[in-house]
Amino acid sequence: MIETFSSDFSKTIHMMEEEKLYAIANSILQSHRVFCIGMGSSVSVVNSFNRKLKNLGLCSNDYTEAAPFRDIADIATNNDCLLIFSLSGKEEQILEIAVKSKLKNVTVISITGFSNNPLQSLSDISLLTYQTPQKRKKLRSRLMLSVAAEVIFETVLLKKEGEKDDT
């Protein structure tokens, strides 16, 4: 298991493109509101990331159940961004909110598993993580989503500190 996680970690880090990380950080910092979205096992990653954004003083909320997703389409504007954590990138409720948000010119950012999935193609920016294929479909590890969230957050901090230096 340790060898598998180590390999997955290395592959995930190597798949991250610096330009995408900066683009994600810029979108987060320039957005009026950040909607952090995830379902199922991804909820813990979403909650943790959202808390960190709030601690930075950013206007961020987490949405982790299908019913509140409907509200996002009513309140999101083109000054906001959706930050979606989804290992599979195939959850129907998440895809629906991504489509509705795109129609309103909301920036859609996804952090998803390395696979050909519909969420990736709906996103303005998509950051991929790697996970060794497993036999089980439920309760798959979200460790690489957490790794990506940490790298994104550190990039946001770096950009935010750079903004302070510019003033």
Side-chain angles (χ1 to χ4, degrees):
M1 185 172 61
I2 291 172
E3 284 181 28
T4 299
F5 284 157
S6 179
S7 174
D8 289 357
F9 177 84
S10 179
K11 289 175 183 174
T12 294
I13 292 297
H14 283 96
M15 288 170 39
M16 292 186 185
E17 300 172 31
E18 191 173 335
E19 302 85 33
K20 282 187 180 182
L21 290 168
Y22 284 126
I24 292 169
N26 285 334
S27 291
I28 290 170
L29 290 169
Q30 294 171 2
S31 290
H32 175 67
R33 290 174 294 213
V34 179
F35 296 88
C36 297
I37 299 170
M39 295 179 72
S41 305
S42 301
V43 167
S44 61
V45 178
V46 170
N47 290 339
S48 175
F49 192 81
N50 178 62
R51 182 178 40 80
K52 290 175 185 177
L53 292 182
K54 284 183 175 287
N55 285 339
L56 276 181
L58 300 176
C59 183
S60 175
N61 286 302
D62 52 1
Y63 293 80
T64 57
E65 296 178 22
F69 290 172
R70 291 187 301 261
D71 298 337
I72 296 170
D74 293 334
I75 59 176
T77 70
N78 62 349
N79 294 319
D80 300 325
C81 78
L82 263 61
L83 190 61
I84 303 171
F85 291 88
S86 173
L87 195 56
S88 73
K90 297 177 183 176
E91 291 89 359
E92 219 173 284
Q93 299 93 335
I94 287 180
L95 295 173
E96 184 178 325
I97 191 58
V99 168
K100 288 179 180 178
S101 298
K102 290 283 290 183
L103 292 172
K104 293 180 75 174
N105 293 319
V106 176
T107 301
V108 177
I109 301 167
S110 65
I111 298 83
T112 186
F114 182 69
S115 68
N116 186 11
N117 64 66
L119 181 57
Q120 184 181 349
S121 61
L122 287 170
S123 302
D124 296 297
I125 307 168
S126 183
L127 190 66
L128 302 176
T129 63
Y130 183 85
Q131 184 175 28
T132 298
Q134 299 172 350
K135 293 179 183 175
R136 58 187 169 166
K137 294 293 181 198
K138 292 189 177 199
L139 297 176
R140 294 188 302 163
S141 171
R142 295 315 194 249
L143 182 58
M144 293 309 119
L145 282 183
S146 294
V147 167
E150 289 300 319
V151 172
I152 292 168
F153 184 72
E154 290 296 323
T155 307
V156 169
L157 282 176
L158 183 68
K159 292 290 293 176
K160 192 163 176 66
E161 289 300 314
E163 289 175 1
K164 287 182 183 177
D165 294 342
D166 293 341
T167 57

